[in-house]
Amino acid sequence: MIIVLAASAAILCGVLYLWTKRTERHAHWMPPGERCDLSPLLAKTALTDADYDLLLHETGLGRLGVDVLLSTGKQDTILRMQEMLYAPITYRCRRFSPISWTERLTDTKGQVHAGLELVPLEDGDVLISASSHTLGWCNGHAGIVVNAQKGETLESVVIGQKASVCSIEKWREYPTVLVLRLKGASGEERAAIAKDALRRLKGTPYRLAVGVFSRKHWGSRPPKGTQCAHLVWEAFRPFGYDLDSDGGRIVTPHDIAASPLLELVQVYGLDPDKLWR
């Protein structure tokens, strides 16, 4: 009996290992074909919808990202982001919990490094990565920018830890990133959402099954538990924005990424026509 159990456990571990390796093969998307010469386009005084679409596929920048860089005369940054999008990467996958792994970009020496250049962020921006997986399920990670000037996010990271302020630098290490921004909201409102999230949600215990074995939200009271995507959802909920695109009891980073209330600012390592949807 012991031999049968040991063999079954070994087979299960092998299956999970192979499933996890299959997930890693999809850790980063690169555009097919050769780069386009963007210089003539960037010299134009006004861009068409077709121009914005081309820039999205060549640089990973959405209309918001393009406009902020052009308005500040940073055409060279746009060209760097094009080069970055087409550049081959190396990465390593490391465990950060007993059942979860995350990918990180590595340099020529195999060391983790912050190789991703991010568009200028604003308070209230939502960050999503598909670079975390649990036993082969690409569950991803999410966070909200609470102080763009200081480079700070609010995140619920892992079981056993409370929601805390983290550095945006960590997001520059992921081989997949989405930067999303609330549509139609002023900078003041988005900053108010970020400030309120920091006040209400910092220190909330991590609870993976929030919404299943506990309430999804607690009305006017702070939640008694949260996880990464739930924290982002809860940050916007009191302001009348439901970012859970499928309305289920559990909120995932995928649900947030698919929300029609959010607009793309930047995408890296994911197909811009799909955005992990």
Side-chain angles (χ1 to χ4, degrees), residues 94 103-105 112-115 169-175:
R94 62 182 181 184
E103 289 100 16
R104 289 290 194 273
L105 296 171
V112 172
H113 80 129
E169 285 298 293
K170 175 182 70 176
W171 291 86
R172 298 181 59 234
E173 299 173 355
Y174 286 125

Side-chain angles (χ1 to χ4, degrees), residues 57 161 169 222 231:
H57 289 83
Q161 296 182 7
E169 285 298 293
L231 181 145

Side-chain angles (χ1 to χ4, degrees), residues 73-112:
K74 295 182 178 178
Q75 287 86 347
D76 58 333
T77 301
I78 295 177
L79 293 175
R80 283 202 311 273
M81 289 185 167
Q82 181 192 30
E83 183 178 357
M84 177 184 68
L85 201 68
Y86 277 84
I89 69 160
T90 56
Y91 67 92
R92 76 182 187 191
C93 184
R94 62 182 181 184
R95 188 191 302 268
F96 70 93
S97 84
I99 59 172
S100 300
W101 290 259
T102 183
E103 289 100 16
R104 289 290 194 273
L105 296 171
T106 54
D107 59 20
T108 55
K109 297 180 179 179
Q111 299 300 310
V112 172

Side-chain angles (χ1 to χ4, degrees), residues 35-47 51 54-55 58-59 70 74-80 82-83:
R35 285 185 287 171
C36 296
D37 181 6
L38 298 180
S39 300
L41 188 152
L42 296 179
K44 296 173 67 172
T45 56
L47 299 178
D51 293 333
L54 176 62
L55 285 167
E58 286 291 312
T59 68
L70 288 180
K74 295 182 178 178
Q75 287 86 347
D76 58 333
T77 301
I78 295 177
L79 293 175
R80 283 202 311 273
Q82 181 192 30
E83 183 178 357

Side-chain angles (χ1 to χ4, degrees), residues 176-198:
T176 60
V177 170
L178 287 172
V179 181
L180 304 167
R181 188 169 295 165
L182 190 63
K183 290 181 181 177
S186 67
E188 289 77 12
E189 183 179 15
R190 287 183 275 112
I193 290 171
K195 183 177 180 180
D196 180 72
L198 188 61

